[in-house]
Amino acid sequence: MAGPPDPSSVRVSGDWHHFDVRANGLRFHAVEAPGPQPADRPLVLLLHGFGEFWWSWRHQIPALTDAGFRAVAVDLRGYGDSDKPPRGYDGWTLAGDTNGLIRALGHSDATLVGHADGGLVCWATATLHPRVVSRVAVIASPHPRALRRAVIRDRRQRSAFLPGFLHNQLPRLGERRLAQRDGAYIAQYFAERAAPSWQGTSDYAEAVELNRSAIQIPYVAHSSLEYRRWAFRSQFRPDGSRFMDLMNQRLHIPVLALRGGDDPYILDHVMAASHRWSAHLEYREIDDAAHFVHQEQPDAVTERLLGLLSE
């Protein structure tokens, strides 16, 4: 009987350069285009969402590199081939990871691009470490205060978001749910949140297969759930109140917010409500896409990102 996948299995072969970078006391696995990267290229740091790894940015890395940027995708703390400490999945520590990564990569600032949980890291880093963030793009990731308000006040958003979120609070049961049957939960997760047009492609099949494998890497299921457990439990603790108080300030950098028009998980008005915490927010929906719009319609997303980067 085969054992669980090795963390190095996420170092997918191809036209990539895999490397390690140390930041905030951890080792992170990072990926960029091959060949020497000029030091003066502006850094674009790509942060994946729940249950995934760097692979979700496979389309954007070469496109952004060709456009003259240094595009680096990382496995977040607890994912892929990055370190998996038992703790540190709170907003402050995750923002510290990103702040450290920017500096460890040799840059003084960066544009942050994040999907879902990776978008929360973008919001937190831009607020808590404003000197290192020049621009932000978030995909299916409203400002955390906008999301909290909607979950409390809006029945539709609460019904879409809360059931799975609460189920994963249960110790050990959530981990087993994610990893059992060769990561079948991840296949279901994608099927429920992806547009039908993407589901019929080989690109979708490959993404699901790789993410099913990656969630079975030892400690990844636990780490990925710790992001959500902190987000929920902190609402009832002083640290959560302090974090939300700190997040209650307006960013004054360019922010691009994207959502797939058919996303059943994050609703339109919740993404739009993020403008309360961003003085220069551009919000756009992309047709024929759902929760994974950067993978479902990569060219459209890259076009929007290049527009942000030209500001």
Side-chain angles (χ1 to χ4, degrees):
M1 182 175 174
D6 188 84
S8 64
S9 62
V10 302
R11 297 184 180 243
V12 183
S13 60
D15 197 19
W16 322 104
H17 168 54
H18 296 272
F19 64 103
D20 293 327
V21 57
R22 292 195 171 274
N24 207 23
L26 297 184
R27 178 191 58 80
F28 290 87
H29 168 230
V31 181
E32 63 183 340
Q37 298 290 324
D40 59 347
R41 283 193 172 207
L43 175 63
V44 181
L45 194 60
L46 303 161
L47 309 174
H48 64 81
F50 170 77
E52 300 187 71
F53 63 107
W54 74 268
W55 182 254
S56 65
W57 304 107
R58 62 198 175 279
H59 300 295
Q60 282 73 38
I61 294 172
L64 294 174
T65 302
D66 290 345
F69 299 93
R70 185 186 183 193
V72 178
V74 298
D75 292 336
L76 295 177
R77 166 187 293 251
Y79 280 99
D81 200 13
S82 291
D83 282 348
K84 303 166 186 67
R87 58 187 60 85
Y89 299 93
D90 57 275
W92 287 283
T93 304
L94 296 170
D97 288 349
T98 310
N99 175 50
L101 279 165
I102 293 168
R103 299 184 184 280
L105 289 165
H107 295 260
S108 59
D109 61 23
T111 295
L112 303 183
V113 182
H115 171 240
D117 289 1
L120 168 62
V121 179
C122 292
W123 287 115
T125 308
T127 302
L128 301 177
H129 301 278
R131 292 184 179 181
V132 302
V133 183
S134 57
R135 299 172 184 82
V136 165
V138 289
I139 299 170
S141 187
H143 190 278
R145 290 187 66 96
L147 180 59
R148 184 181 69 168
R149 178 183 297 232
V151 168
I152 292 171
R153 299 185 177 185
D154 188 300
R155 180 183 57 81
R156 288 178 60 230
Q157 184 61 78
R158 185 165 57 250
S159 297
F161 182 81
L162 208 53
F165 196 82
L166 291 176
H167 182 93
N168 287 330
Q169 300 300 316
L170 300 174
R172 297 189 180 88
L173 293 180
E175 282 83 347
R176 286 202 293 269
R177 183 188 188 202
L178 258 63
Q180 68 185 358
R181 295 185 292 121
D182 294 327
Y185 175 85
I186 293 298
Q188 177 185 348
Y189 180 80
F190 270 74
E192 290 175 349
R193 292 165 174 80
S197 57
W198 185 43
Q199 293 190 38
T201 67
S202 59
D203 183 70
Y204 172 83
E206 184 177 30
V208 170
E209 179 184 4
L210 288 172
N211 283 294
R212 286 183 67 169
S213 175
I215 203 67
Q216 299 175 69
I217 293 170
Y219 307 111
V220 168
H222 170 76
S223 299
S224 63
L225 293 176
E226 284 297 291
Y227 284 77
R228 299 189 162 197
R229 287 169 177 161
W230 178 81
F232 177 73
R233 295 171 186 172
S234 67
Q235 302 303 311
F236 311 100
R237 300 194 306 233
D239 63 321
S241 296
R242 288 196 301 271
F243 179 75
M244 281 298 180
D245 286 345
L246 287 170
M247 294 300 294
N248 194 22
Q249 53 185 296
R250 230 173 177 209
L251 298 179
H252 293 275
I253 57 174
V255 175
L256 172 67
L258 298 177
R259 174 185 177 271
D262 300 320
D263 190 345
Y265 191 60
I266 299 296
L267 304 184
D268 168 65
H269 69 91
V270 185
M271 286 294 295
S274 298
H275 76 85
R276 292 187 56 174
W277 294 276
S278 173
H280 307 289
L281 183 137
E282 178 187 3
Y283 170 51
R284 291 287 182 267
E285 285 195 347
I286 294 179
D287 294 335
D288 197 21
H291 190 61
F292 308 96
V293 59
H294 55 307
Q295 301 182 70
E296 299 168 79
Q297 296 292 341
D299 292 344
V301 169
T302 299
E303 181 181 358
R304 292 292 183 186
L305 291 177
L306 291 175
L308 172 70
L309 290 164
S310 68
E311 294 183 17

